[in-house]
Amino acid sequence: MALAKTLMVQGTASDVGKSVLVTALCRLFARKGLRVAPFKAQNMALNAYVTADGLEIGRAQGVQAEAAGVPACVEMNPILIKPTGEQTAQVVLLGRPLGNFSARAYRAELHERAWAAITASLRRLREAFDLVIIEGAGSPAEVNLKDRDLVNMRVAEHADAPVLLVGDIDRGGVFAAFVGTLACLTAEEARRVAGFVVNKFRGDKTLLEPGLRWLEARTGKPVFGVLPYLSDLAIDAEDSVVLERRVGGGPPWPASRRDFLDIVVLVYPRTANFTDLDALEAEPDCRVRYVSRPAALGDPDLVILPGSKNTAEDLAYLVDTGLAEALRAWFGRGAGTLVGLCGGFQMLGLRIADPHGVESARGAVAGLGWLPVETELTPHKRTVRTTAVITLPLPGWQDLDGQRVSGYEIRMGVTRKAGPCHAFLRPDGAVASGEETGLLGAVSRDGRVWGTYIHDLFHNDRFRRRFLNGLRVQKGLPPVETGVSIARRKEEAFDRLADAVAEHLDLSRIGRLVGVSL
């Protein structure tokens, strides 16, 4: 059986634009009628994606599959590593968690098993698709890790893939990064590099030309293109590097601009699945601020506690930094609504117990106490696509009652009532919340505090707009209908990205690498 051609994108460092370029190439090749699959052997990220069959992969590969117009599958990212602490991470193999490992233990105990899963997954993709576009991780020049490489040049060699090497000129030193990366490779690995892509360029390209000519003369390899600095793409980010840039993105909302909704997202060290909030940023009457210090909180209309990969430790962070105290002072002023998503939902409860040491060694810890619920973390991880119905028959929120929503769950905990509160969500279908799965969400009796396990809840256009209009009415503002469609916005973003890359990249030369006319 003939296997699909492969093309690989590697980078001189993390966050140089590998994921974005793979996303663009998936879209461009799919436009030519090819059935394209993204592939990343091993991904380290706290933003995850649940496939239709309930398996967990990196968010980037799920998004790349969407750009290619194909269903995401676990073979696209056979290994996902989710940091839980400074020295440990949860290892997800073929969509299911194996447990928490130190870097040393992972390399010693799981290396060969991981490589077997990688090669089998890649073969299955190459049997099912016309082209596989492979993404590397970090840099192939990490010489201290090359003997146990699972994701860069070893994969390129196994797949016989030509490599595009991407560098970020915005951070400076891009020519040194290109030349230095090649210098750290073996002669055979360096020959596999087909050429360079300069990314995130701002300014007059003619001023860059002498450097490009020098690079080509120095290395004997072509520059395939210079991509501009692209912002506001409306495409889900892969990891927390992007989140770090959002923190501190502005002061508290001034009183003169009270015609907008001021939304604060609290950021902690192990924030997970922060793409849940991207849909709110799309609304023109919202300003979303990412806050990690008490002084920046202000008096927002809505505060959101996002997901966490280590709920107890991130809860301790809120207390230790004074954010929890600032949150109580804000809530006591009675001006806003408080929402928790997944780990944030757990934090809003009375107690979080971790008897099995799933996330930390803290055992049982007190929650923030805004919802009368208790959570027990369990070794079993629930990953599933979910549909549910909002149950919120409270004054001011009647428009939300009965709304059908969809999303996904990624959790290792069961939350149950420990006092009077509303369920907020009930499963839509045969499977009901019970002792095994617990609550999907809960809301305080006055409706000011609620939490849920459903990720991407705000990606439901009708729910999002009605919820925001409820906040507007509480604030004395009239409701608005903006007509924002997250699905349409994402499709348009894929096309804008593909168009921008097509304009600045030598696609005919890239097509020849894989025998396709672009």
Side-chain angles (χ1 to χ4, degrees):
M1 181 181 196
L3 298 179
K5 294 277 192 177
T6 57
L7 174 66
M8 189 165 192
V9 175
Q10 296 187 23
T12 58
S14 296
D15 196 38
V16 298
K18 296 184 293 292
S19 296
V20 171
L21 181 55
V22 170
T23 303
L25 291 173
C26 283
R27 191 64 157 198
L28 288 166
F29 281 108
R31 282 178 176 178
K32 286 292 182 179
L34 295 180
R35 187 167 164 80
V36 188
F39 177 77
K40 187 165 185 173
Q42 177 178 283
N43 196 346
M44 178 177 285
L46 289 178
N47 277 353
Y49 186 102
V50 173
T51 64
D53 52 353
L55 298 173
E56 185 180 7
I57 63 174
R59 187 82 178 183
Q61 282 63 63
V63 169
Q64 290 160 357
E66 291 175 358
V70 298
C73 61
V74 74
E75 287 82 7
M76 294 174 179
N77 178 214
I79 302 170
L80 175 61
I81 297 178
K82 307 183 74 171
T84 58
E86 292 300 320
Q87 300 291 330
T88 60
Q90 182 186 74
V91 176
V92 180
L93 178 66
L94 294 174
R96 297 297 187 198
L98 285 181
N100 292 343
F101 294 82
S102 67
R104 186 180 298 275
Y106 173 63
R107 286 162 59 87
E109 300 171 24
L110 296 177
H111 183 267
E112 293 308 317
R113 184 177 175 184
W115 181 246
I118 289 167
T119 55
S121 294
L122 181 56
R123 183 174 182 87
R124 284 194 288 272
L125 291 180
R126 297 185 69 186
E127 290 172 346
F129 290 85
D130 303 319
L131 175 66
V132 178
I133 302 180
I134 305 170
E135 180 183 339
S139 165
E142 305 291 351
V143 294
N144 56 310
L145 302 176
K146 285 184 68 174
D147 64 323
R148 308 293 278 180
D149 178 31
L150 291 172
V151 69
N152 284 311
M153 280 299 176
R154 187 180 182 188
V155 174
E157 181 180 0
H158 177 80
D160 193 24
V163 173
L164 300 178
L165 187 61
V166 183
D168 177 2
I169 195 170
D170 191 57
R171 67 174 63 184
V174 71
F175 298 115
F178 282 138
V179 173
T181 297
L182 289 181
C184 292
L185 302 179
T186 66
E188 183 178 347
E189 291 169 341
R191 281 193 295 271
R192 190 166 291 283
V193 176
F196 309 106
V197 176
V198 178
N199 195 24
K200 304 183 186 178
F201 179 69
R202 312 177 198 236
D204 184 351
K205 187 185 171 185
T206 61
L207 300 177
L208 189 62
E209 291 294 344
L212 301 179
R213 291 195 297 271
W214 175 89
L215 179 64
E216 291 181 333
R218 174 67 180 254
T219 64
K221 298 181 184 294
V223 175
F224 283 86
V226 177
L227 300 180
Y229 192 100
L230 300 172
S231 59
D232 300 324
L233 286 174
I235 295 173
D236 294 352
E238 177 181 25
D239 57 34
S240 57
V241 175
V242 174
L243 181 60
E244 291 168 5
R245 292 199 293 266
R246 297 181 184 178
V247 174
W253 201 236
S256 60
R257 297 303 309 273
R258 298 306 289 172
D259 53 329
F260 279 60
L261 293 175
D262 185 21
I263 300 173
V264 161
V265 178
L266 298 188
V267 177
Y268 12 85
R270 290 291 176 263
T271 299
N273 288 82
F274 61 86
T275 52
D276 285 342
L277 295 316
D278 289 351
L280 296 174
E281 296 192 31
E283 291 289 352
D285 65 333
C286 293
R287 183 208 195 202
V288 181
R289 298 187 290 118
Y290 294 82
V291 167
S292 61
R293 55 189 180 87
L297 184 64
D299 280 301
D301 304 299
L302 171 65
V303 174
I304 299 176
L305 278 65
S308 166
K309 194 65 196 73
N310 195 322
T311 307
E313 296 298 333
D314 281 347
L315 180 57
Y317 172 85
L318 293 182
V319 174
D320 294 343
T321 59
L323 272 168
E325 182 179 353
L327 198 61
R328 292 192 187 282
W330 162 79
F331 193 80
R333 293 192 287 272
T337 297
L338 179 61
V339 168
L341 304 175
C342 200
F345 171 35
Q346 296 172 345
M347 293 182 198
L348 291 178
L350 302 174
R351 181 174 178 269
I352 303 167
D354 190 359
H356 307 283
V358 171
E359 290 186 350
S360 76
R362 289 181 178 265
V365 297
L368 295 173
W370 270 294
L371 289 174
V373 299
E374 294 185 345
T375 298
E376 180 177 321
L377 301 183
T378 59
H380 171 71
K381 192 172 199 176
R382 180 174 170 82
T383 56
V384 63
R385 292 289 183 99
T386 303
T387 59
V389 175
I390 303 291
T391 59
L392 198 59
L394 298 172
W397 298 109
Q398 293 93 333
D399 280 354
L400 292 176
D401 193 36
Q403 287 289 303
R404 183 171 281 101
V405 295
S406 63
Y408 63 95
E409 299 173 58
I410 302 178
R411 56 179 167 114
M412 300 185 76
V414 176
T415 299
R416 300 183 178 91
K417 288 185 180 182
C421 63
H422 299 283
F424 182 61
L425 287 154
R426 71 170 187 271
D428 182 22
V431 179
S433 292
E435 281 300 304
E436 184 179 348
T437 59
L439 294 168
L440 271 178
V443 60
S444 63
R445 301 182 78 177
D446 63 0
R448 285 192 64 201
V449 183
W450 58 265
T452 178
Y453 275 120
I454 296 186
H455 292 285
D456 274 1
L457 179 65
F458 291 117
H459 286 61
N460 291 267
D461 298 329
R462 187 179 176 88
F463 166 79
R464 181 184 65 257
R465 193 59 255 171
R466 291 196 172 193
F467 171 67
L468 293 175
N469 278 340
L471 296 179
R472 289 179 65 87
V473 170
Q474 290 180 4
K475 193 175 180 177
L477 298 174
V480 297
E481 294 299 331
T482 62
V484 173
S485 166
I486 297 302
R488 183 174 63 244
R489 185 172 181 261
K490 182 178 288 189
E491 285 298 307
E492 291 171 350
F494 288 147
D495 284 329
R496 285 198 309 273
L497 171 63
D499 291 343
V501 169
E503 180 181 354
H504 296 279
L505 217 58
D506 189 343
L507 292 182
S508 61
R509 179 178 276 178
I510 290 177
R512 288 196 293 273
L513 292 176
V514 292
V516 174
S517 176
L518 276 179

